[in-house]
């Protein structure tokens, strides 16, 4: 058995070496490996967490299912104990969460993480007064990214996406939804989805086919021809690598009828249903998608009450993208209607190279409070349990035993002088540090 003194020496030696790799050992790790149990015990116990939010709420629980002086134990990729530290089982690896906030792994439920090229010039044009749709209709915007993404190899797309996802993981994100939509040919859309799947060793990846993102230049005079290409070539080709199908129904993109046909065809192939909805102009796609059983409809700045009612009836999640709203200087979705009708709200980065080049989910949660009017409780649910629901997964964004949830845990050290509670993480932009990320019961990141 290793002694604590030896471990302290190793911590200093190994810690200095790992800092050069950007993965310094965390301050909140103590006695790692000092106690080794028989193989029948847990492989990992994280203990002495001042406040743990399980996000599994009951009528008589505190907000977020909060537990003080908490511990979580893992074995064989499952959570086997959640409760008070004093009752926690000893494990092969014991990690102290002293001074940290504990949360389930975060879920970024709307991103465009796989892409090539840059849109920095477009940002300057928007600052000078050009609108997103004016740039798109002039051949820029998404079309610029399409050209670069088509030209990139699968290896290049995978490498850049992996780097972006690794940064997300260092912020505590363990599940990432990634859309295609910058290929607009069957082969390029497939390439994007394959690149996303190739990053599954970095985070849990949920893939969404978005070939109906915009009309490609080669089909500018043949809208129906491209829709037929989607229905008869794209969807059959990507059905085994796409978990869901998405459409962008809006001005300058696809019509309501076109979007409904694509979503229905994807659903018939076993894909979940999603939609970019009511962002630039009202189209009715949110209601139509909900009536098809959509897991989520996203953006929603111009959603009407009929759409909200349809979402409630279908259990469809409203995904807010405050980064896009901020960059496009847009209006807010109807938050009060979501509350009134009991529609669950999720928050995502919408990471993309143009309208929301935002890589930080915590920043988006804070923006959702400041810009869109969410409460802090709503924002935290929005990046955990409700974000999981937006992917059709009730085991994501919560902490529960016996396989009811995935085995993901994150520890955060709050800003200096702030208490170890979730409010400290939301109020201060970029003030906290991620100290530990556990995914599927294994330590994936240490600082």
């Amino acid at each position: 058995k290793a002694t604590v003194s030896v471990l302290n020496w190793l911590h200093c030696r190994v810690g200095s070496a790992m800092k050069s790799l950007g993965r310094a050992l965390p301050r909140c790790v103590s006695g790692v490996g000092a106690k080794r149990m028989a193989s029948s015990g847990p492989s990992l116990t994280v203990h002495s967490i001042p406040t743990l939010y399980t996000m599994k709420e009951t009528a008589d629980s505190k907000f977020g299912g909060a537990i003080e002086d908490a511990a979580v134990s893992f074995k064989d990729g499952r959570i086997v104990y959640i409760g008070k530290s004093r009752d926690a089982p000893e494990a092969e690896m014991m990690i102290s969460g002293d001074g940290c906030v504990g949360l389930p792994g975060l879920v970024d439920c709307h991103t465009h993480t796989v892409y090539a090229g840059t849109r920095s010039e477009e940002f300057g044009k928007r600052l000078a007064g050009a609108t997103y749709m004016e740039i798109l209709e002039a051949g820029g915007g998404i079309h610029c990214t399409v050209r670069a993404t088509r030209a990139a190899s699968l290896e290049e797309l995978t490498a850049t996406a992996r780097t972006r996802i690794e940064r997300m993981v260092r912020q505590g994100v363990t599940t990432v939804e990634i859309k295609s939509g910058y290929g607009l040919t069957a082969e390029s859309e497939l390439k994007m989805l394959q690149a996303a799947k190739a990053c599954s060793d970095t985070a849990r990846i949920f893939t969404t086919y978005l070939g109906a993102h915009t009309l490609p230049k080669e089909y500018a005079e043949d809208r129906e021809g491209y829709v037929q290409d989607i229905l008869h070539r794209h969807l059959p080709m990507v059905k085994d690598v796409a978990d869901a199908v998405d459409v962008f129904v809006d001005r300058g993109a696809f019509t309501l009828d076109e979007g409904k046909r694509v979503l229905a065809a994807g659903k018939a192939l076993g894909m979940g249903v999603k939609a970019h909805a009511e962002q630039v102009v009202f189209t009715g796609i949110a209601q139509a998608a909900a009536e098809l059983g959509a897991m989520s409809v996203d953006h929603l700045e111009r959603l009407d009450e009929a759409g909200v009612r349809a979402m409630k009836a279908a259990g469809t999640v409203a995904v807010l993208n405050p980064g896009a709203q901020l960059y496009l200087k847009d209006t807010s979705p109807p938050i009060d209607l979501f509350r009134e009708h009991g529609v669950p709200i999720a928050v995502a980065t919408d990471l993309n190279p143009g309208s929301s080049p935002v890589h930080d989910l915590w920043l988006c949660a804070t923006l959702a409070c400041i810009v869109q009017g969410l409460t802090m409780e709503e924002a935290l649910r929005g990046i955990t349990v409700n974000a999981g629901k937006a992917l059709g997964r009730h085991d994501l964004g919560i902490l529960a035993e016996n396989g009811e949830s995935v085995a993901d845990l994150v520890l955060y050290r709050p800003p200096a002088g702030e208490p170890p509670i979730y409010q400290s993480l939301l109020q201060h932009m970029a003030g906290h540090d991620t100290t530990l990320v556990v995914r599927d019961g294994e330590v994936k990141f240490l600082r």
Side-chain angles (χ1 to χ4, degrees):
K1 293 184 179 179
T3 63
V4 173
S5 60
V6 170
L7 286 167
N8 288 338
W9 180 84
L10 286 171
H11 186 278
C12 295
R13 295 291 185 182
V14 177
S16 62
M18 292 188 74
K19 283 179 182 179
S20 65
L21 300 176
R23 299 183 64 224
L25 290 172
R27 296 177 186 175
C28 57
V29 172
S30 69
V32 174
K35 297 181 179 179
R36 296 195 175 277
M37 305 297 292
S39 59
S40 60
S43 57
L44 170 65
T45 290
V46 183
H47 62 90
S48 304
I49 307 170
T51 315
L52 173 72
Y53 299 94
T54 67
M55 303 312 295
K56 186 181 178 184
E57 298 177 88
T58 61
D60 57 352
S61 69
K62 298 179 181 178
F63 166 74
I67 303 172
E68 296 177 355
D69 189 22
V72 184
S73 297
F74 304 86
K75 181 181 178 182
D76 297 331
R78 293 161 64 97
I79 295 174
V80 294
Y81 175 82
I82 300 174
K84 292 289 188 178
S85 284
R86 63 175 177 267
D87 300 319
E90 291 194 21
E92 189 173 348
M93 177 180 287
M94 300 290 289
I95 297 180
S96 170
D98 184 41
C100 297
V101 182
L103 281 166
L106 304 188
V107 180
D108 197 343
C109 61
H110 181 133
T111 85
H112 303 256
T113 303
V114 174
Y115 63 87
T118 178
R119 303 251 290 274
S120 56
E121 183 179 351
E122 172 187 322
F123 182 51
K125 289 180 179 178
R126 288 207 311 274
L127 292 176
T131 69
Y132 175 83
M133 293 310 299
E134 287 170 349
I135 293 170
L136 176 65
E137 291 166 352
I142 293 171
H143 295 296
C144 177
T145 304
V146 168
R147 290 189 291 271
T149 303
R150 285 180 175 181
S153 68
L154 173 61
E155 292 74 21
E156 290 168 335
L157 291 175
T158 301
T160 53
R162 184 183 300 279
T163 299
R164 295 170 191 135
I165 295 166
E166 286 173 346
R167 189 179 190 279
M168 295 178 187
V169 172
R170 293 195 295 271
Q171 297 167 349
V173 176
T174 57
T175 303
V176 184
E177 186 263 10
I178 301 177
K179 303 180 190 294
S180 65
Y182 295 131
L184 308 186
T185 66
E187 294 76 13
S188 292
E189 291 291 301
L190 177 62
K191 177 177 66 174
M192 291 186 68
L193 295 167
Q194 289 172 333
K197 287 292 189 184
C199 297
S200 294
D201 59 331
T202 307
R204 187 178 298 102
I205 304 298
F206 183 101
T207 51
T208 300
Y209 165 77
L210 183 57
H213 198 185
T214 193
L215 199 66
K217 287 294 187 179
E218 59 269 27
Y219 281 96
E221 304 301 323
D222 186 13
R223 299 182 62 88
E224 182 59 24
Y226 184 58
V227 172
Q228 290 298 319
D229 198 35
I230 288 175
L231 298 177
H232 300 294
R233 291 192 68 247
H234 290 215
L235 289 172
M237 187 177 290
V238 305
K239 65 181 179 65
D240 293 330
V241 291
D243 299 306
V245 59
D246 196 345
V247 295
F248 182 28
V249 171
D250 219 317
R251 173 188 152 197
F254 290 85
T255 68
L256 178 59
D257 176 70
E258 291 164 348
K260 288 165 65 175
R261 289 159 61 196
V262 171
L263 292 181
K267 181 178 180 179
L269 290 172
M271 301 179 197
V273 173
K274 291 179 160 291
H276 285 58
E278 326 301 0
Q279 183 182 9
V280 180
V281 297
F282 173 79
T283 66
I285 187 60
Q287 180 174 345
E291 290 171 351
L292 283 169
M295 295 181 288
S296 76
V297 289
D298 306 18
H299 289 289
L300 304 171
E301 285 82 351
R302 287 157 184 85
L303 180 64
D304 66 351
E305 189 165 2
V308 176
R309 290 196 193 99
M311 292 170 64
K312 171 59 177 178
T316 301
V317 177
V319 175
L320 310 186
N321 296 307
Q325 180 182 329
L326 181 69
Y327 267 81
L328 299 178
K329 302 178 182 179
D330 209 346
T331 189
S332 292
I335 305 300
D336 287 340
L337 284 179
F338 297 146
R339 291 175 180 145
E340 178 184 342
H341 291 277
V343 173
I345 300 170
V347 177
T349 61
D350 188 20
L351 170 61
N352 72 71
S355 62
S356 186
V358 182
H359 299 250
D360 191 323
L361 186 57
W362 277 108
L363 173 63
C364 287
T366 302
L367 286 177
C369 296
I370 297 170
V371 177
Q372 298 180 315
L374 264 60
T375 65
M376 286 194 285
E377 292 88 347
E378 290 169 334
L380 187 62
R381 291 190 189 102
I383 59 176
T384 54
V385 58
N386 285 349
K389 292 176 182 177
L391 302 182
R393 295 280 299 269
H394 292 265
D395 60 342
L396 296 177
I398 66 169
L399 290 165
E401 298 176 22
N402 302 317
E404 187 180 342
S405 79
V406 297
D408 295 4
L409 171 70
V410 185
L411 295 184
Y412 297 100
R413 188 172 296 282
E418 295 295 321
I421 55 178
Y422 80 93
Q423 294 95 326
S424 300
L425 310 181
L426 277 168
Q427 181 196 5
H428 293 258
M429 288 189 181
H432 61 266
D433 290 315
T434 309
T435 59
L436 173 71
V437 177
V438 176
R439 177 168 57 84
D440 294 328
E442 296 183 358
V443 175
K444 298 297 183 180
F445 176 74
L446 295 174
R447 188 192 298 273

